Amino acid sequence: MDYQLSQSGQTAHVEVTRLPTGDPLPALIELEKELADQNLRRIELFFSEGVSPPVDRLTHAGYQESGSERFFKSVHYQPSVRFSITEKCNYACFFCHEEGMEMGKARAAAQQEQLFDVLRQFHELNYQDFTFTGGEPLLNPNKIVACLDYMESIGYLPDITFVSNGLALTEKLLARLQAYPGKMRFNISMHSLEEHAYNQIVQDIQKPNAPLRHNEHRRVKENLLKLQTAGIPFKLNFVLLKGLNTSDEAIQAVLDYALQLGATRIKFLELLLTKELNHLYGYFYRLDALRERLSDQLTLTERSFRRDVYRYADTPLELEFQHCTCARGCNTCTVNRDANFTAELKYFPCFLHSDEDFDLKTVALEQAIAQGDQKIQRMAQYYGDDSPIIVRNHYLTQEEQFYYYLASSSAIEQLKRKLSLEERLERRRDFNEIYLTLVGQAGDDFSTVYKLSRNSYDQHALEIEQAYSFDPLKPGLVTTHFSGESQKVIDPDLYLKQLAEHGYEQRLNLNWSIFFYRLQWSSSVRQSELSISHNPESGLFFVRSDTPLDDEQLKPMTEPLASYISTRMRLA
């Protein structure tokens, strides 16, 4: 991408004179990173005559349109580091993503002088945002103090954050933290104000034979009061867990508590689901669903790649809705991630690939980061707007074509083994579909349907109209035609009641679990997609593929899935 740059204050004025061939997003991300390194905090982008703005990619990169084909965005990227100071933790949260690393694996801590050398290199590279994590970082207070002493001795005074459950905070450590001459804050995990739910989340589900019984919940709240008295700002981290802490009462309780306590923010986070944590899908609850519930009490104050920040009602409390680093896709990672390293001085470029690291005892930090960036660029070429996390937005197109097959449970297991599907899981989606028809229009014909579709993690539903057609010359090939834009239904239950008043009835109610797989892993070859769907009401399995499958155990579908299921259930 060619451009001309001028600046006024901390604003960069960029005239794009030529766009690159192919996707312009990598060039936009690289531009943002370069300008951020120059301490510029706003980009105003416009295009030379004859250069058409790539609006969709600008939107994905976080730009907003200001009129006359001009775009702007605030630059929030700054070099940040996360130091996992210990793998040990005094809790056992069942959803723990372990900072993208193997926390259960014991580490041999590096010598103190080697650690100090890495801290010195972060100072030289101007990393001014430093986070201590774990495990639980407060379990290693001596190393924390040693790090602070050394950093102060060389004039390295970054903004420091502790991500902690707060249980192990002591008066001695608190006094040392108060003496730090730079900025310091805490992010304290408080996933529920109800003690039983809190204990379930942080220990009892994962370790039912070793439940919490020592007033941990009360002790954490006491330590929060100590932080307040010490004048150290803190925010509350709250991972949304469907069925455990997402009720209206649970959300209101944490809002009221934060206001009473004087917390600066509540950070709401989505459950991170990877292939390893796929079994936790039932707990997933979307940030957008909570945002919709609170929308009339929120005023937007800040927007960046990973987070939106709102003022809550007429109060000083801020609510932060933060997505996982990976939620924006691998192709934005270079301006969206931290430098992660551990007590054994292993640097991990990718949050979700703990099997690839650099040993900072033998490799210079700057070299490790540069090579890590190259790895991220390769992942960006492969994943694009996606990433290895398995919950992503579901998009509807105007028309799509796939091959559909009926399969027995044994055929599914054989297919998984044959294609090594378990290691190729891309994402998962659980949802409910309610098929509607006017009263009196019975039958099993679902070639044209009107339905409400609702993801398990959403409050709202989508109103969808679609039709199916089949190619008799290509067994199993189904073309799905979508009628216009799908409309969002904020209150599905109320909407169904209103439809009933207008003569509609629920004709079929189906639940689905769908697992999506990617079959080809070469970036030079078109990747093939395959998914396996299971409907628990009928017990049936279906396979969907973008290419025909030659397997005698798979029966090509010749009618819509809903028609087949309806007939089977009626005749059962």
Side-chain angles (χ1 to χ4, degrees):
M1 183 171 72
D2 296 335
Y3 59 87
Q4 295 179 355
L5 172 66
S6 62
Q7 66 181 78
S8 57
Q10 290 188 305
T11 298
H13 306 278
V14 180
E15 179 181 0
V16 178
T17 57
R18 186 185 64 83
L19 289 170
T21 302
D23 187 2
L25 187 67
L28 291 169
I29 297 301
E30 183 61 29
L31 170 66
E32 179 176 347
K33 192 170 187 293
E34 290 177 0
L35 296 177
D37 289 340
Q38 299 174 37
N39 202 33
L40 295 169
R41 288 291 167 255
R42 179 181 170 91
I43 303 174
E44 294 186 355
L45 205 64
F46 58 100
F47 294 80
S48 297
E49 185 176 352
V51 181
S52 299
V55 177
D56 60 332
R57 306 314 279 155
L58 288 165
T59 300
H60 187 73
Y63 284 87
Q64 301 178 59
E65 191 166 2
S66 58
S68 302
E69 296 190 339
R70 302 178 75 92
F71 301 82
F72 71 93
K73 73 169 298 182
S74 297
V75 178
H76 297 278
Y77 168 75
Q78 62 175 327
S80 302
V81 56
R82 293 175 74 89
F83 176 28
S84 177
I85 198 168
T86 178
E87 78 281 6
K88 297 180 176 63
C89 189
N90 46 4
Y91 280 169
C93 299
F94 70 90
F95 58 84
C96 183
H97 54 64
E98 302 180 339
E99 288 291 322
M101 294 167 272
E102 296 181 77
M103 290 297 167
K105 182 179 179 181
R107 300 179 193 154
Q111 296 179 7
Q112 186 163 276
E113 290 305 316
Q114 293 173 316
L115 170 59
F116 289 170
D117 183 59
V118 172
L119 295 177
R120 176 188 57 78
Q121 292 178 71
F122 274 114
H123 178 34
E124 292 173 351
L125 294 176
N126 199 32
Y127 277 75
Q128 293 301 316
D129 185 66
F130 196 103
T131 298
F132 287 93
T133 71
E136 170 50 52
L138 301 189
L139 293 180
N140 202 335
N142 292 336
K143 183 171 286 188
I144 290 173
V145 171
C147 287
L148 294 179
D149 288 346
Y150 176 74
M151 293 162 77
E152 291 175 23
S153 73
I154 63 172
Y156 183 31
L157 303 176
D159 294 349
I160 287 180
T161 302
F162 286 91
V163 177
S164 168
N165 58 46
L167 184 62
L169 183 65
T170 64
E171 297 285 357
K172 181 179 179 181
L173 179 60
L174 185 59
R176 176 61 184 90
L177 300 182
Q178 282 182 282
Y180 180 67
K183 293 181 179 179
M184 180 172 293
R185 62 182 180 270
F186 272 76
N187 291 358
I188 300 291
S189 300
M190 180 55 72
H191 306 302
S192 178
L193 265 296
E194 197 278 309
E195 185 174 13
H196 175 72
Y198 178 88
N199 290 350
Q200 288 285 108
I201 291 167
V202 303
Q203 180 87 3
D204 296 359
I205 289 177
Q206 183 72 4
K207 293 187 175 181
N209 295 325
L212 296 183
R213 290 294 182 268
H214 301 288
N215 298 311
E216 287 83 358
H217 190 243
R218 174 181 57 77
R219 289 158 57 195
V220 171
K221 291 196 287 186
E222 290 173 353
N223 284 340
L224 284 168
L225 288 173
K226 292 177 183 177
L227 286 175
Q228 180 193 45
T229 302
I232 297 178
F234 58 89
K235 66 175 71 169
L236 303 180
N237 282 1
F238 191 102
V239 176
L240 297 171
L241 299 165
K242 184 179 179 181
L244 289 173
N245 63 6
T246 54
S247 68
D248 290 341
E249 295 77 12
I251 297 299
Q252 192 60 53
V254 74
L255 293 172
D256 293 342
Y257 176 70
L259 283 168
Q260 172 193 343
L261 192 62
T264 58
R265 283 185 182 181
I266 302 174
K267 180 193 288 188
F268 291 108
L269 302 120
E270 283 180 343
L271 176 63
L272 172 64
L273 289 178
T274 62
K275 286 182 287 188
E276 292 73 22
L277 296 178
N278 170 52
H279 61 287
L280 301 180
Y281 186 93
Y283 291 106
F284 184 77
Y285 191 83
R286 285 172 63 90
L287 283 174
D288 287 345
L290 178 61
R291 189 177 357 229
E292 289 172 2
R293 288 164 57 185
L294 299 176
S295 59
D296 60 346
Q297 302 177 77
L298 302 179
T299 302
L300 182 67
T301 61
E302 178 187 329
R303 172 160 286 167
S304 65
F305 263 120
R306 292 174 57 186
R307 65 181 64 88
D308 292 339
V309 180
Y310 298 85
R311 182 74 59 193
Y312 171 60
D314 295 322
T315 74
L317 180 65
E318 292 182 320
L319 304 186
E320 181 178 336
F321 293 75
Q322 178 165 314
H323 292 277
C324 164
T325 303
C326 308
R328 296 290 297 179
C330 291
N331 54 15
T332 65
C333 189
T334 54
V335 291
N336 199 23
R337 84 186 199 280
D338 307 315
N340 295 278
F341 79 105
T342 66
E344 58 184 350
L345 302 187
K346 294 290 183 67
Y347 165 65
F348 294 85
C350 177
F351 185 79
L352 295 177
H353 283 270
S354 61
D355 55 335
E356 299 185 32
D357 59 65
F358 296 88
D359 189 345
L360 297 181
K361 296 189 294 294
T362 59
V363 179
L365 176 63
E366 188 170 16
Q367 178 185 346
I369 291 174
Q371 293 180 3
D373 285 347
Q374 292 175 8
K375 171 185 170 55
I376 297 301
Q377 289 170 5
R378 291 192 297 271
M379 292 186 67
Q381 291 174 358
Y382 173 69
Y383 284 105
D385 291 351
D386 292 329
S387 75
I389 60 175
I390 67 168
V391 175
R392 309 190 192 114
N393 288 329
H394 174 62
Y395 299 100
L396 294 174
T397 59
Q398 291 299 106
E399 183 177 289
E400 62 181 25
Q401 284 190 328
F402 287 96
Y403 290 86
Y404 284 84
Y405 302 89
L406 175 68
S408 65
S409 58
S410 60
I412 292 295
E413 293 305 315
Q414 290 184 34
L415 187 67
K416 288 181 178 180
R417 290 192 295 270
K418 177 182 177 181
L419 300 178
S420 302
L421 292 183
E422 293 300 338
E423 61 191 54
R424 299 183 176 185
L425 179 65
E426 284 286 295
R427 64 185 177 98
R428 174 179 173 177
R429 182 177 174 231
D430 287 12
F431 62 100
N432 170 261
E433 291 183 322
I434 297 176
Y435 291 78
L436 298 153
T437 184
L438 288 170
V439 174
Q441 293 182 353
D444 299 317
D445 181 14
F446 287 85
S447 56
T448 300
V449 300
Y450 171 48
K451 64 184 179 181
L452 290 187
S453 178
R454 184 177 185 177
N455 291 317
S456 62
Y457 45 74
D458 274 332
Q459 289 287 109
H460 68 264
L462 288 179
E463 182 184 47
I464 300 172
E465 293 183 64
Q466 60 191 43
Y468 303 97
S469 59
F470 294 79
D471 188 338
L473 300 179
K474 297 180 179 179
L477 182 62
V478 181
T479 302
T480 305
H481 311 268
F482 296 92
S483 177
E485 292 293 327
S486 299
Q487 300 299 313
K488 181 184 290 188
V489 178
I490 300 299
D491 189 336
D493 295 331
L494 176 61
Y495 193 68
L496 287 171
K497 290 180 181 178
Q498 293 172 340
L499 287 174
E501 293 172 359
H502 287 82
Y504 283 88
E505 63 180 354
Q506 298 184 29
R507 187 173 168 192
L508 195 60
N509 192 324
L510 300 178
N511 291 292
W512 293 97
S513 290
I514 304 184
F515 297 82
F516 298 82
Y517 306 92
R518 192 181 305 217
L519 296 186
Q520 295 181 10
W521 297 85
S522 170
S523 59
S524 62
V525 180
R526 179 182 176 274
Q527 293 150 359
S528 178
E529 296 179 3
L530 181 144
S531 63
I532 295 175
S533 307
H534 177 237
N535 169 244
E537 288 83 11
S538 64
L540 296 174
F541 291 88
F542 299 92
V543 176
R544 187 185 81 165
S545 173
D546 60 358
T547 57
L549 300 176
D550 184 15
D551 189 327
E552 61 183 16
Q553 295 192 74
L554 303 180
K555 176 186 175 183
M557 294 300 298
T558 58
E559 60 181 317
L561 272 59
S563 297
Y564 187 84
I565 292 173
S566 177
T567 302
R568 283 285 299 268
M569 294 175 67
R570 179 172 52 81
L571 297 177

